[in-house]
Amino acid sequence: MHRVIISGIGVEIPEASIGNDELVASYNAWVEMENPRRVARGEPPLSKSDSAFIVHASGIERRHVHTLDGILDPERMAPRIPLRSDDELSVMAEFGVASASKALADAGLTGADIDMVIMSASHHQRPYPAMAIEIQKAIGSEGAAFDMNLGCSSAAAALHVAFNMVRAGAQRRVLVVTPELITGHLNFRDRQTHFIFGDASVAMVVEQMEEGATRAAGSFEVLDTRSWTQFSNNIRSNFGYLLRAGQDDTSIIAMEGNMITQVGNKVFKEVIQAATQFISEFLADNGLTTSEVRRYWLHQANARMNAMIMKLVLGHEADQDKAPTVLDRLGNTAGAGAVIALKENHEDLKPGDHGLLCAFGAGYSIGAALLRKL
Amino acid sequence: MHRVIISGIGVEIPEASIGNDELVASYNAWVEMENPRRVARGEPPLSKSDSAFIVHASGIERRHVHTLDGILDPERMAPRIPLRSDDELSVMAEFGVASASKALADAGLTGADIDMVIMSASHHQRPYPAMAIEIQKAIGSEGAAFDMNLGCSSAAAALHVAFNMVRAGAQRRVLVVTPELITGHLNFRDRQTHFIFGDASVAMVVEQMEEGATRAAGSFEVLDTRSWTQFSNNIRSNFGYLLRAGQDDTSIIAMEGNMITQVGNKVFKEVIQAATQFISEFLADNGLTTSEVRRYWLHQANARMNAMIMKLVLGHEADQDKAPTVLDRLGNTAGAGAVIALKENHEDLKPGDHGLLCAFGAGYSIGAALLRKL
């Protein structure tokens, strides 16, 4: 079997961003408009949101968004992204290509060097043609492509697949692309989730070490990958085509009630427990103690959750050097978060240093890759 | 690397079915109601549909449907599938479990023997939790699970992934599940596509030959797999969450115009050419001539398309023994079709016989597996 490297990583973070105060002001303005209507309907009024609470609960201070227009308008509270014709590059493919191009440049490759594109993300713009095929065309690649979905573990699970496709020799170079355009699916009128997510797109080139021999220095060898899932409804979206079949009016689908919902306290408790066990077992199976791992690039959903996982994994608290945080300024970028943490925090690692990429989230799902700096 | 077998195949075909005459009568009844409205709006009247045309164009005489209720009602023309609470097994998972259970029984295994579930289908009921994780739970399996999508090549592409995950030793037994509940997404008011699709669910157990040693006799070894894609808008669905961001009213998504559309004549011509080349090259790369393959289990979309592909591949016309048809009574069951053809037409093969499973469709995409009877 082939040895495998990640020869390039690309991160695309949209320029526009929203601080907690702006987001809260928009939410609270909507609440002030909405509450008289609710009271008139005999419904209890909604509570306002609060910046200090958001920082305390999540560690998030700011999030970047693909399209700012519309999100903060209390009359809309959703991004305004103009529809495109079928002949134009679609919005999600474009977002994916932005990170894919950077990953290719980072690897010193072009699209023609790639023989498989996996688009793996929490939400897909459409069922077919697969988003991955549109990205494949846009970067000038040939071979195979398909779409995957595993919530916030989408990139990690795709890396598990890519690693083994390359290891087995079925593909020479796989490009994993994770465009997380999550604000389009976010209910900015839901106090429990309106502050959580931000948009970002990431991509990784996964290739045979032999093919990338001249470019391997300074990159990461993938020593092992693992994926794990266990059903939970605590992070759920029911958006989908079958809603239509359950309605009298089959011409439309309601978004209300069919966007992401989360039972935060249960997720917090259950995912900490599962991730701690997963990380400890995965490292032990690879003959490593948790302290021998130089750096942990964890899923970026919640600062307190990551702190607790690290404390349980290591037996003591971890600093930013051990487990860097990017969610404070980016929010939860779903599948992209751990890869952004990796991209922004790896250049100081020395050859031979081990690092663990570990994502977790909806499903529940956990995915990890054990990396060694070359 | 491990040798790999398909140790079990399960097929679930819903009991309810619709013949061409019934389908056409429903469509034409709607046209008779609709045309006065169109004329009043100054739009050209619609043409009626025709059973003889459907058979001539596609070879389809009948299709089975998950839920008959509502489809033939000219006032509705969509299945009526009651919504379920989050605590109930969802409709698509249930459909997947029906075929998964049969595949497990066929392999002499239970869910506990499976360590990865891939749900790969043209349409997914929701983004998360992944449908595969719900199926994983329902069959009593542990390990990993994720969702994939590659239109009508969904099962074949998942087999490409599963083969290599098992070959590389990352997973011992992968269950590929393809529940194609396509009538929920079909526009029965579109004369170009209303007759094409039927519902079916299939599943395959893909495992290390060593693990399945006692059960290998009579099953198929997977010798090689391949996947290929090239972007085309000729089969497209724009249904998805980002439609919301492109509208003034963000509370609903319109189904009209966002269900499957197909430019049949272009698909016919272009996919025949691509599939012919793909099959010839794939077999040649495996040291086989096209005539050395005992049986071809092709994607079941169109009888004339399959006849043409076989003629170009073989250099002469193929009979039902060489390339069996199931689409006449099932319609196009998307990713499920080729697997149904395999399931229903393999028991007469002798040890050592080669067979080719080959799916093709939206993307464009093609996926194949070269099998050898054990």
Side-chain angles (χ1 to χ4, degrees):
Chain A
M1 289 202 291
H2 300 276
R3 291 171 69 182
V4 178
I5 59 172
I6 297 176
S7 58
I9 304 173
V11 170
E12 172 74 7
I13 295 170
E15 206 174 303
S17 70
I18 303 174
N20 286 346
D21 288 349
E22 298 166 275
L23 190 74
V24 164
S26 160
Y27 179 84
N28 290 348
W30 172 73
V31 167
E32 282 180 19
M33 296 192 308
E34 179 68 7
N35 272 345
R37 294 191 287 252
R38 292 177 67 91
V39 170
R41 290 197 301 264
E43 297 169 14
L46 298 167
S47 302
K48 290 192 174 180
S49 191
D50 179 76
S51 292
F53 164 77
I54 291 172
V55 173
H56 174 74
S58 68
I60 296 167
E61 297 177 358
R62 179 167 285 277
R63 71 283 300 144
H64 286 244
V65 297
H66 178 277
T67 300
L68 181 59
D69 181 28
I71 292 178
L72 296 176
D73 175 359
E75 303 277 3
R76 181 176 175 90
M77 295 179 84
R80 189 177 282 110
I81 305 173
L83 296 178
R84 299 181 183 184
S85 80
D86 289 358
D87 295 327
E88 294 175 277
L89 186 65
S90 60
V91 170
M92 183 169 283
E94 182 181 73
F95 201 34
V97 166
S99 63
S101 301
K102 290 180 179 179
L104 289 169
D106 190 38
L109 298 171
T110 69
D113 298 308
I114 300 295
D115 66 0
M116 174 175 268
V117 176
I118 304 176
M119 198 294 292
S120 189
S122 301
H123 306 91
H124 299 182
Q125 183 169 351
R126 62 164 186 261
Y128 41 85
M131 303 309 304
I133 306 176
E134 195 176 2
I135 293 169
Q136 175 191 38
K137 180 190 176 192
I139 63 171
S141 178
E142 293 184 351
F146 63 84
D147 288 350
M148 271 180 68
N149 190 338
L150 191 61
C152 290
S153 305
S154 289
L159 184 55
H160 182 50
V161 170
F163 171 60
N164 285 292
M165 300 302 286
V166 172
R167 202 157 65 120
Q171 311 289 154
R172 287 190 306 131
R173 291 196 193 91
V174 180
L175 180 69
V176 172
V177 188
T178 301
E180 293 285 16
L181 216 168
I182 198 162
T183 53
H185 191 277
L186 189 53
N187 184 358
F188 284 100
R189 296 192 182 99
D190 174 25
R191 188 172 174 274
Q192 301 301 313
T193 55
H194 79 117
F195 62 87
I196 295 179
F197 296 98
D199 298 322
S201 179
V202 299
M204 294 179 277
V205 178
V206 182
E207 63 175 315
Q208 293 177 10
M209 189 185 272
E210 307 93 276
E211 295 281 341
T214 59
R215 293 169 286 107
S219 73
F220 285 99
E221 179 172 6
V222 184
L223 299 180
D224 196 11
T225 59
R226 185 174 291 177
S227 187
W228 173 92
T229 52
Q230 187 175 75
F231 188 75
S232 167
N233 277 325
N234 291 329
I235 308 171
R236 181 154 175 150
S237 160
N238 282 323
F239 176 77
Y241 77 107
L242 277 183
L243 291 171
R244 170 178 182 254
Q247 305 172 159
D248 286 338
D249 180 355
T250 60
S251 68
I252 56 166
I253 282 180
M255 292 303 299
E256 187 77 28
N258 294 314
M259 291 186 279
I260 185 169
T261 58
Q262 182 170 307
V263 187
N265 56 342
K266 286 192 182 174
V267 172
F268 188 86
K269 186 179 158 192
E270 293 168 8
V271 172
I272 284 174
Q273 188 174 15
T276 300
Q277 184 180 345
F278 176 98
I279 290 171
S280 303
E281 288 178 0
F282 181 56
L283 292 176
D285 289 346
N286 279 283
L288 288 172
T289 64
T290 57
S291 61
E292 287 175 309
V293 174
R294 174 68 185 84
R295 187 156 291 156
Y296 289 82
W297 302 285
L298 298 186
H299 176 50
Q300 299 290 314
N302 186 297
R304 289 169 56 222
M305 180 183 274
N306 285 10
M308 186 67 82
I309 290 170
M310 289 312 305
K311 191 173 177 181
L312 290 167
V313 162
L314 293 172
H316 58 80
E317 292 191 0
D319 59 13
Q320 283 293 309
D321 183 73
K322 195 72 163 181
T325 302
V326 303
L327 66 87
D328 52 338
R329 67 178 208 279
L330 298 178
N332 179 345
T333 52
V339 180
I340 298 171
L342 165 61
K343 176 67 179 177
E344 294 187 354
N345 300 279
H346 73 82
E347 292 197 350
D348 59 320
L349 264 61
K350 294 182 178 59
D353 279 351
H354 289 92
L356 184 78
L357 179 82
C358 185
F360 34 82
Y364 297 133
S365 60
I366 307 177
L370 178 62
L371 308 180
R372 183 169 59 198
K373 186 87 165 188
L374 294 171
Chain B
M1 289 203 288
H2 300 276
R3 291 171 68 181
V4 178
I5 59 172
I6 297 176
S7 58
I9 304 173
V11 170
E12 173 73 8
I13 295 170
E15 206 174 302
S17 70
I18 302 173
N20 286 346
D21 288 350
E22 298 167 275
L23 190 75
V24 164
S26 161
Y27 179 85
N28 290 348
W30 172 74
V31 167
E32 282 180 18
M33 297 192 308
E34 179 69 6
N35 272 346
R37 295 191 287 252
R38 293 177 66 91
V39 170
R41 290 197 302 264
E43 297 168 14
L46 298 167
S47 302
K48 290 191 173 180
S49 191
D50 179 76
S51 293
F53 163 77
I54 292 171
V55 173
H56 174 74
S58 68
I60 297 167
E61 296 178 357
R62 178 167 285 277
R63 71 282 302 146
H64 286 244
V65 297
H66 178 277
T67 300
L68 181 58
D69 181 28
I71 292 178
L72 295 177
D73 175 359
E75 303 278 2
R76 181 176 175 89
M77 295 180 85
R80 188 178 283 110
I81 306 174
L83 297 178
R84 299 182 182 183
S85 82
D86 289 358
D87 295 328
E88 294 175 277
L89 186 66
S90 60
V91 170
M92 183 170 282
E94 182 181 73
F95 200 35
V97 166
S99 63
S101 302
K102 290 180 180 178
L104 289 169
D106 191 37
L109 299 170
T110 70
D113 298 308
I114 299 296
D115 66 0
M116 174 174 269
V117 177
I118 304 175
M119 197 295 291
S120 190
S122 302
H123 306 91
H124 300 182
Q125 182 170 352
R126 61 164 186 262
Y128 40 86
M131 304 310 304
I133 306 176
E134 194 176 4
I135 294 169
Q136 175 191 37
K137 180 191 177 191
I139 64 170
S141 177
E142 294 184 352
F146 63 84
D147 289 350
M148 270 179 69
N149 190 339
L150 191 61
C152 290
S153 305
S154 289
L159 184 54
H160 182 50
V161 169
F163 171 60
N164 284 292
M165 300 301 285
V166 172
R167 200 157 66 122
Q171 312 289 155
R172 288 190 305 132
R173 291 196 194 90
V174 180
L175 180 70
V176 172
V177 187
T178 301
E180 294 285 17
L181 216 167
I182 199 162
T183 51
H185 191 277
L186 189 53
N187 184 357
F188 284 99
R189 296 193 183 98
D190 174 24
R191 189 172 175 273
Q192 301 300 315
T193 55
H194 79 117
F195 61 87
I196 295 179
F197 296 99
D199 298 322
S201 178
V202 299
M204 295 179 278
V205 178
V206 182
E207 63 175 315
Q208 293 177 10
M209 189 185 272
E210 307 93 277
E211 296 281 340
T214 59
R215 293 169 287 106
S219 73
F220 285 100
E221 179 172 5
V222 184
L223 299 180
D224 196 10
T225 58
R226 184 174 291 177
S227 187
W228 173 92
T229 52
Q230 187 175 75
F231 188 74
S232 166
N233 277 326
N234 291 329
I235 307 171
R236 180 153 176 151
S237 160
N238 282 323
F239 175 76
Y241 77 107
L242 278 183
L243 291 170
R244 171 178 181 254
Q247 305 173 160
D248 287 337
D249 180 355
T250 60
S251 68
I252 55 166
I253 282 180
M255 292 303 299
E256 187 75 29
N258 294 313
M259 290 186 279
I260 186 169
T261 58
Q262 182 171 307
V263 187
N265 57 341
K266 285 193 182 174
V267 172
F268 188 86
K269 186 180 158 191
E270 292 168 8
V271 171
I272 284 174
Q273 187 174 16
T276 300
Q277 183 179 344
F278 176 98
I279 290 170
S280 303
E281 288 178 1
F282 181 56
L283 293 175
D285 289 346
N286 279 283
L288 288 172
T289 64
T290 57
S291 61
E292 287 175 308
V293 174
R294 174 69 185 81
R295 186 156 292 156
Y296 289 82
W297 303 286
L298 299 186
H299 177 49
Q300 299 289 315
N302 187 297
R304 289 170 57 222
M305 180 184 275
N306 285 9
M308 186 67 82
I309 290 170
M310 288 312 304
K311 190 173 178 182
L312 290 167
V313 162
L314 294 172
H316 58 81
E317 291 191 359
D319 58 14
Q320 284 292 309
D321 183 74
K322 194 73 165 183
T325 302
V326 303
L327 67 87
D328 51 338
R329 65 178 209 279
L330 299 177
N332 179 346
T333 52
V339 180
I340 298 171
L342 165 61
K343 176 68 178 176
E344 294 187 355
N345 300 278
H346 73 81
E347 293 195 349
D348 58 321
L349 264 61
K350 296 182 177 58
D353 279 352
H354 289 92
L356 184 78
L357 179 82
C358 184
F360 34 82
Y364 296 132
S365 61
I366 308 177
L370 179 61
L371 308 180
R372 183 170 56 199
K373 186 88 166 188
L374 293 170

